[in-house]
């Protein structure tokens, strides 16, 4: 349709004098415009928009004739008539200048190819040089009220009620003037003759001749409207008959639409009444109204004043209306409102102040509707200006720019899924975005610029729809500038077409054609300009695969032709297939491999197209298939708006037994002046067999008599594709009916191939409203594509003053944006209204995979609810229960209902849930379906509809479920919700959180404000572990504020009880990781709670089970025995020296023997091998051996004081993945001095493989300190076992000696460790080396248990300070130092955390923190 573009232009009139133009009238071709002022006539050219000639009346003649008032052109543009105030008609001749043929001409640079062209081409692109000569003066002795050109005659209406008919040469040819009193008027043409109205004192105020109506639409000075038509061919008083509309008495002006046979009458109340003539009775029928609605224009809808002017566009598809109070408004032919300048940014400045609407005194459309010429009526004559006649005046000539849909002039685009808009010099496409990038590389590689699709054999048979990402990717257009060389000699562009894939466009101007490919970004023009200038496209353009199909007129041969041009070849007649046509073609369309033409003799011709690839370039052959005469049904050929071949049929054609006919050309559809007519093939006779293809091609079935499908149709969409899953949408017919919205002619299919009912129709017409003007239909995606005008204000860039403001201030900048709308919910609703629920279900199920299908159901429910719940009158048969039952057929039922309720007013909830069900039941269904987010939405519904006790009950249930599933965001909302309920019960407003909720990250957020540091020395280690400040045991920050606020309130106690219950269950189920996440996310004070539960839920009944659970939850690998790795190592078998020899070299024999005796170092089969890393000093734990044959290689601390060489920390080894993977080239050169073998390095990698993920290691360290601070010794020992942290176990056992620990806990630790030892011996021997290392501590535990030491007082572990004075004697001191060194060297980087940690569970933060931690140097000797 039509859309405003940019700012209007202001044309400057370089005329001296004070007269300003007030009337504009174009010639029939819209190329020359006559502007009238009081005594001056100016002729302007359209492109370029310049003044050609001006005629100034002398003062004496001006006083005799009076001021100019109206003008009218002769149809051939050779003359025009001017009516004056004193009743004179002045006839002027337009004479071409003999000296100069044109006033302006383009100047080309040297070497430009357009210079060497055929002579005379410049006349088409330059403003011609014309002169105006007065030919004759006619005096009618009465004021002339209206002028109208009718073929070779000029009809003049005067205020004395007389109609004068004169020839353009000024003669009356003996015809008498017609007095309106003698014309009989009635309500229809069938009434009896004789005057039925008193027309003695009335005259015609405005009139316009309609060619297709064959009569005059008239407005009388008393406001009545009518239609005058000759009964016979002669226009005389005896042959005229009038019809009048009884209900109208305030008519002001009239405009006739010849393509749609419509008469638009402007009224004094600001509305436009559009009438049509009934073909049978001849009565004037009101078709529709064009009026502003109070919904969209509440301030101005009834304050516009009388309608001043109505102007139909050249293609008769839109009407522009202006009022006495100013403003412009655009409507489509059947009443769809497109835009209005009385609202929005047109009516207000950017600061909100209101603008005065611009008054229009005269306006007219330019060529092809790309411009609207308007004369502003705001300027008033100033007395001082009359004296200053030498000042150059600026005539207020405005030129509004428009872009329009290609459908308005080339309706064959109605089988496309693309939107194509054409402007004066550019095209707007909504396609090509995705495929363009995809094909750019192939186009560059292909020398002939042939895309891949041309070589694809499927392209000719399968039409694949473009994806939604391409057609709906964004709101911007792909703009293609039309080639300037073609445009300058062939302006204006008449037709434009785009191919099925949306990659190629073709345009046709005054002469010739040009086409453009998006994948090559190049235009193709005629190489021979003579061929271009000798062809004029008349019937439109269409694409058939990669051929351009067009109907044209050959100016040289004076022959109508049907031509096909191959896109990939040069644009030349040599490569064209030309077929001669009998008469002029008005319309063309393509359906599969068929072309349909509608000709000026009202006949339809069908052609078949075949592609031939026998030569170097593909060619096409055209063959006539069938001709159909429509002269009996079509009164005038220009009334046919569009013609379409389609596979759509009525009920006689739809059967499931003939799927092969689903895409056959079964019917012809004609849009005859808004009436959609269907011609189906006559299958009543003997049928042609499908296998008899030869006879079928030669003799096609005839067509039946036409059937009217719909009225007021502007556009039609259909497709030739087929899809068994979406037959409803692809076999439907889509109609745009203007103000009435859209209609779909939907097929109805029996379910499960059952036999349909005889009384059930096979198709149904369903109307529905949409908010956009449809330009294309995406059939399978159930979407309508369109465009909408958007405005941007720039008036703040200019200063406001009393002088003439620039147009940038008066008007906003207009842009056109793509838009789309879902229509499926409208169709489903219409089917349910008609009790066709089964069909609605079939249709909905076929579209259930669409991404916006849930929104479709929600829209349908919302619209029905709004209409029925707000209805003032009772609804006898409400639709809401039916819709609710329909939605229950889909799994999205619960979400749809609650989303609809949340977006609806609370007052309508009772009506909604009375139909869909009790919200409590729906809440429980959500819980059963584990859809907690939807259940939370229902909880808000329950809070408003039920008492607080019910809300609390359901909230508790949802809170417990959310806790179990770990939905922490929902848990936080539920805590706030429960507190709000408690506050509501106390009749106080719910507390508003003054802080930000913790972020929903997985991790240990409650440690954000804790400080846990580790030292490389034993003293630092013990101090950091057991001298934690008491203030750090309670979380600070937002969590602390939340938990400390209203601690004593009952509501907080209720929530705390739920949290404690959940934490207790997690701890009993040994789910430490879930417990940690729970505490971190909800700000749960874990340490204090564990201190209370250390003798209850924090006890560990089964050490082995707990150990396995932690391994599984934290993804921590079970330890493996390094000796087995060395036994199976590929570096063994004598190729390398054993490590034991190096140890003997670097250390005294006594030390090594002592270590061997104490720790029982195992000899591997290839020799003694024991690799030791340490950062403190040498010491090996002692332990007994398990079994006479199985021996364990122990990774023990060892350090040589004299031979140290740093090789980096264990952290460095894990971070450098290439070293672990075997790429040892990154090791420092100094490393070779140690003479380490590959097997020894592999041993290190094996030790590192026993470590779990770094994140798990940090988490376990934190947990160990939490349990340590809460005195949960059993969990501390289990975590220390996983981490193989002998220092922690040593300190725990030592602290037990100085603390009051209950005997059951001691017995539990002892029995648990024995169980772990047995499990390790049987199932996990990798734990044996560590268990052997801590065996002395376990023996100490046994001694403490047996002696039943009872200290005098119990001190919390968090306050214990283990110093050297209370350490055991030398062996255990050495063991402590040894194990501490073991921690620092072996435990990867987990024990290297020396900086303050802020662990929130996110992997990135942990990585960054650990990279900042101190690394430890490991020396090997």
């Amino acid at each position: 349709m039509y859309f405003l573009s940019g700012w209007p232009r202001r044309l400057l009139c370089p005329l001296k004098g004070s007269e300003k133009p007030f009337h504009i009238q174009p010639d029939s071709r819209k190329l020359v415009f006559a502007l009238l002022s009081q005594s001056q006539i100016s002729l302007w050219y359209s492109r370029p928009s310049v003044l050609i000639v001006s005629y100034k009346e002398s003062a004496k003649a001006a006083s005799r004739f009076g001021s100019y008032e109206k003008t009218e052109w002769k149809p051939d543009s050779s003359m025009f008539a001017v009516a004056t105030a004193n009743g004179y008609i002045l006839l002027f001749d337009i004479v071409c200048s003999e000296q100069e043929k044109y006033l302006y001409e383009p100047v080309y640079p040297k070497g430009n190819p357009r210079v060497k062209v055929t002579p005379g081409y410049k006349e088409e692109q330059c403003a011609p040089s014309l002169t105006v000569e007065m030919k004759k003066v006619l005096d009618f002795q009465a004021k002339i009220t209206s002028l109208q050109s009718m073929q070779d005659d000029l009809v003049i209406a005067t205020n004395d009620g007389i109609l004068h008919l004169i020839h353009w040469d000024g003669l009356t040819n003996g015809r008498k003037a017609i007095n309106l009193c003698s014309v009989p008027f009635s309500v229809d043409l069938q009434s009896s003759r004789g005057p039925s109205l008193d027309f003695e004192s009335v005259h015609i105020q405005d009139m316009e001749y309609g060619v297709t109506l064959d009569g005059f639409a008239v407005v009388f000075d008393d406001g009545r409207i009518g239609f005058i038509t000759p009964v016979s061919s002669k226009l005389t008083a005896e042959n005229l008959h009038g019809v009048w509309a009884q209900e109208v008495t305030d008519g002001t002006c009239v405009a006739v639409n010849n393509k749609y046979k419509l008469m638009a009458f402007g009224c004094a109340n600001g509305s436009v009444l559009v009438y049509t003539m009934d073909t049978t009775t001849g009565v004037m029928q009101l078709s529709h109204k064009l009026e502003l609605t109070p919904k969209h224009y509440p301030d101005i809808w009834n304050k516009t004043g009388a309608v001043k002017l109505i102007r139909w566009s050249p293609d008769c598809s839109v009407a522009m209306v202006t009022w006495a109070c100013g403003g412009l408004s655009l409507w489509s032919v059947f009443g769809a409102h497109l835009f209005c300048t009385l609202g929005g940014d047109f009516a207000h400045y950017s600061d909100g102040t209101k603008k005065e609407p611009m008054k229009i005194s005269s306006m007219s459309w330019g060529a092809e509707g790309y411009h609207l010429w308007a004369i502003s009526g705001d300027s008033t004559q100033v007395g001082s200006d009359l004296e200053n006649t030498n000042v150059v005046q600026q005539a207020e000539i405005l030129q509004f720019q428009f872009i329009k849909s290609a459908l308005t002039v080339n309706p064959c685009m109605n089988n496309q899924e693309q939107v194509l808009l054409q402007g004066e010099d550019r095209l707007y496409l909504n396609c090509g975005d995705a495929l363009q990038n995809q094909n750019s590389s192939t186009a560059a590689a292909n020398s002939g610029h042939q895309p891949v699709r041309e070589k694809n054999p499927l392209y000719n048979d399968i039409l694949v729809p473009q994806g939604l990402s391409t057609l709906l990717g964004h709101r911007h257009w792909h703009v293609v500038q039309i080639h300037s060389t073609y445009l300058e000699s062939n302006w204006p562009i008449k037709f434009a077409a785009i191919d099925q894939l949306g990659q190629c466009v073709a345009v046709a101007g005054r002469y010739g054609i040009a086409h453009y490919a998006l994948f090559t970004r190049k235009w193709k023009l005629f190489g021979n300009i003579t061929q271009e200038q000798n062809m004029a496209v008349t019937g439109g353009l269409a694409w058939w695969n990669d051929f351009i199909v067009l109907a044209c007129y050959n100016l040289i041969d004076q022959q109508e032709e049907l031509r096909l041009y191959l896109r990939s070849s040069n644009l030349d007649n040599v490569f064209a297939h030309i077929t001669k046509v009998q008469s002029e073609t008005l319309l063309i369309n393509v359906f599969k491999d068929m072309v349909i033409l509608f000709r000026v003799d009202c006949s339809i011709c069908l052609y078949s197209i075949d592609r031939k690839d026998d030569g170097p370039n593909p060619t096409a052959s055209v063959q006539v298939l069938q001709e159909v005469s429509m002269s009996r049904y079509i009164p005038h050929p220009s009334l046919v708006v569009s013609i379409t071949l389609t596979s759509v049929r009525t009920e006689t054609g739809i059967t499931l037994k003939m799927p092969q006919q689903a895409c056959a050309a079964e019917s012809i559809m004609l849009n005859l002046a808004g009436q959609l007519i269907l011609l189906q093939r006559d299958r009543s006779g003997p049928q042609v067999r499908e296998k008899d293809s030869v006879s079928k091609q030669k003799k096609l079935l005839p067509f039946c008599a036409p059937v009217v499908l719909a009225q007021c149709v502007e556009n039609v969409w259909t497709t030739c594709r087929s899809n068994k899953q979406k037959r409803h949408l692809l076999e439907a017919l889509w109609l745009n009916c203007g103000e009435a919205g859209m209609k779909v002619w939907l097929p109805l299919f029996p379910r499960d191939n059952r036999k349909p009912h005889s009384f059930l129709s096979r198709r149904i017409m369903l109307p529905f409203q949409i908010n956009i003007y449809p330009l294309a239909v995406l059939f399978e995606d159930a979407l309508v594509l369109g465009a909408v005008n958007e405005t941007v204000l720039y008036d703040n860039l200019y200063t406001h003053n009393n002088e003439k403001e620039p147009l940038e201030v008066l008007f906003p900048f207009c842009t056109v944006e793509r838009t789309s709308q879902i229509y499926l919910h409208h169709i489903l609703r219409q089917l349910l209204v008609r009790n066709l629920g089964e069909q609605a279900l079939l249709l909905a199920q076929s579209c259930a995979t669409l991404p916006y299908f849930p929104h479709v159901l929600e829209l349908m429910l919302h619209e029905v609810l709004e209409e029925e719940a707000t209805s003032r009158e009772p609804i006898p048969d409400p639709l809401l229960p039916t819709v609710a039952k329909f939605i229950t057929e889909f799994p999205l039922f619960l979400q749809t209902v609650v989303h609809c309720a949340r977006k609806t007013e609370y007052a309508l909830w009772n009506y909604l849930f009375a139909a869909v069900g009790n919200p409590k039941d729906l809440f429980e269904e959500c819980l059963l379906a584990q859809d907690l987010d939807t259940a939370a939405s229902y909880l808000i519904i329950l809070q408003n509809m039920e008492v607080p006790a019910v809300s609390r009950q359901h909230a508790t249930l949802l809170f417990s479920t959310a806790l179990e599933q770990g939905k922490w965001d929902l848990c936080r909302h539920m805590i706030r919700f429960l507190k709000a309920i408690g506050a509501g019960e106390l009749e106080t407003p719910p507390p508003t959180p003054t802080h930000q909720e913790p972020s929903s990250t997985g991790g240990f957020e409650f440690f954000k404000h804790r400080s846990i540091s580790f030292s490389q020395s034993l003293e630092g280690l013990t101090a950091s572990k057991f001298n934690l400040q008491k203030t750090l045991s309670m979380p600070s920050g937002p969590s602390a504020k939340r938990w400390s606020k209203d601690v004593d309130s009952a509501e907080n106690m209720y929530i705390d009880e739920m949290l404690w219950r959940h934490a207790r269950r997690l701890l009993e189920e040994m789910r430490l990781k879930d417990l940690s996440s729970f505490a971190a996310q909800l700000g749960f004070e874990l340490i204090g709670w564990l201190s209370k539960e250390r003798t209850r839920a924090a006890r560990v009944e089964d050490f082995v089970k707990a150990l396995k659970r932690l391994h599984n939850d934290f993804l921590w690998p079970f330890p493996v025995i390094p000796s087995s790795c060395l036994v199976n190592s590929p570096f063994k078998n004598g190729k390398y020296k054993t490590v034991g020899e190096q140890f003997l070299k670097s250390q005294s024999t006594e030390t090594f023997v002592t270590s061997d005796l104490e720790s029982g170092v195992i000899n591997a089969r290839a020799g003694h091998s024991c690799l030791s890393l340490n950062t403190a000093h040498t010491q090996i734990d002692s332990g007994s051996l398990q079994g006479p044959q199985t021996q364990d290689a122990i990774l023990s601390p060892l350090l040589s004081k004299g031979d140290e060489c740093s090789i980096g920390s264990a952290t460095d080894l894990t971070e450098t993945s290439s070293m672990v993977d075997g790429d040892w080239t990154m090791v420092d050169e100094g490393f070779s001095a140690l003479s380490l073998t590959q097997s020894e390095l592999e041993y290190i990698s094996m030790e590192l493989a026993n470590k779990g993920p770094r994140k798990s290691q940090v988490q376990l360290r934190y947990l160990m300190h939490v349990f340590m601070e809460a005195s949960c010794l059993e969990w501390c020992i289990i975590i220390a076992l996983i981490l193989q942290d002998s220092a922690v176990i040593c300190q725990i056992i030592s602290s037990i000696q100085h603390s009051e620990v209950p005997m059951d806990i001691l017995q539990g630790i002892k029995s648990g460790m024995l169980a772990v030892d047995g499990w390790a011996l049987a199932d996990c021997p990798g734990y044996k080396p560590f268990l052997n290392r801590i065996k002395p501590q376990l023996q100490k535990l046994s001694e403490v248990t047996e002696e039943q030491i009872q200290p005098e007082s119990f001190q919390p572990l968090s306050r214990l300070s283990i110093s050297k004075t209370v350490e055991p004697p030398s062996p255990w001191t050495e063991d402590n130092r040894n194990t501490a060194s073991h921690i620092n060297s072996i435990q990867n980087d987990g024990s290297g955390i020396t900086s303050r940690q802020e662990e929130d569970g996110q992997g990135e933060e942990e990585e960054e923190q650990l990279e900042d931690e101190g690394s430890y140097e490991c020396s090997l000797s």
Side-chain angles (χ1 to χ4, degrees), residues 798-1019:
Y798 302 86
T799 57
H800 298 273
N801 50 37
N802 295 328
E803 299 178 3
K804 185 180 298 183
E805 292 183 331
L807 294 177
E808 291 80 4
V809 175
L810 296 176
F811 293 94
F813 185 83
C814 296
T815 60
V816 183
E817 292 191 356
R818 297 160 53 175
T819 183
S820 61
Q821 188 172 337
I822 304 170
Y823 60 77
L824 187 58
H825 59 290
H826 296 296
I827 301 177
L828 296 176
R829 178 182 175 181
Q830 292 291 338
L831 289 172
L832 293 177
V833 167
R834 290 160 175 79
N835 291 324
L836 295 173
E838 189 176 84
Q839 297 293 325
L841 191 60
L842 286 174
L843 176 59
Q845 288 173 347
S846 68
C847 300
T849 57
L850 293 175
Y852 37 82
F853 182 72
H855 187 56
V856 169
L857 298 180
E858 185 181 333
L859 279 175
M860 179 171 63
L861 182 62
H862 181 78
E863 290 182 0
V864 175
L865 172 65
E866 287 281 348
E867 288 184 16
E868 295 188 356
T870 58
S871 176
R872 296 182 179 180
E873 299 178 358
I875 301 174
D877 188 15
L879 184 63
L880 189 61
T882 307
V883 173
K885 185 178 180 181
F886 175 78
I887 297 178
T888 56
E889 297 290 335
F890 300 92
L892 301 170
F893 165 68
L894 296 171
Q895 295 94 317
T896 302
V897 171
V898 75
H899 290 168
C900 177
R902 294 287 301 275
K903 298 173 185 176
T904 310
E905 296 179 15
Y906 168 73
L908 308 183
W909 283 5
N910 286 326
Y911 190 85
L912 171 64
F913 288 104
V916 300
N918 193 317
K920 292 187 288 186
D921 299 334
L922 300 178
F923 174 85
E924 294 172 2
E925 288 186 33
C926 293
L927 289 185
L928 291 176
Q930 300 296 313
D931 189 357
L932 302 189
D933 293 330
T934 305
S937 298
Y938 277 106
L939 200 58
I940 299 175
I941 305 295
L942 290 173
Q943 183 189 17
N944 290 275
M945 299 184 67
E946 301 289 343
V947 296
V950 176
S951 301
R952 180 199 298 272
Q953 177 185 358
H954 288 81
T956 303
L957 193 60
L958 179 59
F959 187 29
S960 302
T961 310
L963 286 173
E964 179 61 33
Q965 295 189 7
K967 293 185 177 292
W968 308 123
D969 277 336
L970 182 57
C971 289
R972 283 192 291 270
H973 290 310
M974 294 311 303
I975 291 174
R976 192 163 58 248
F977 184 81
L978 285 169
K979 289 184 178 181
I981 292 179
E985 289 177 341
L986 298 175
E987 297 182 354
T988 58
T992 302
T994 58
H995 59 273
Q996 186 178 0
E997 290 295 325
S999 59
S1000 59
T1001 56
F1004 299 82
E1005 192 168 330
F1006 60 97
F1007 284 107
K1008 273 189 174 181
H1009 307 280
R1010 298 177 56 86
S1011 175
I1012 302 177
S1013 60
F1014 295 85
S1015 175
Q1016 294 181 355
S1017 63
L1018 176 63
E1019 292 80 10

Side-chain angles (χ1 to χ4, degrees), residues 995-996 1009 1034-1044:
H995 59 273
Q996 186 178 0
H1009 307 280
M1034 293 292 291
S1036 60
S1039 301
K1041 292 179 182 177
R1042 182 173 58 188
W1043 285 101
S1044 61

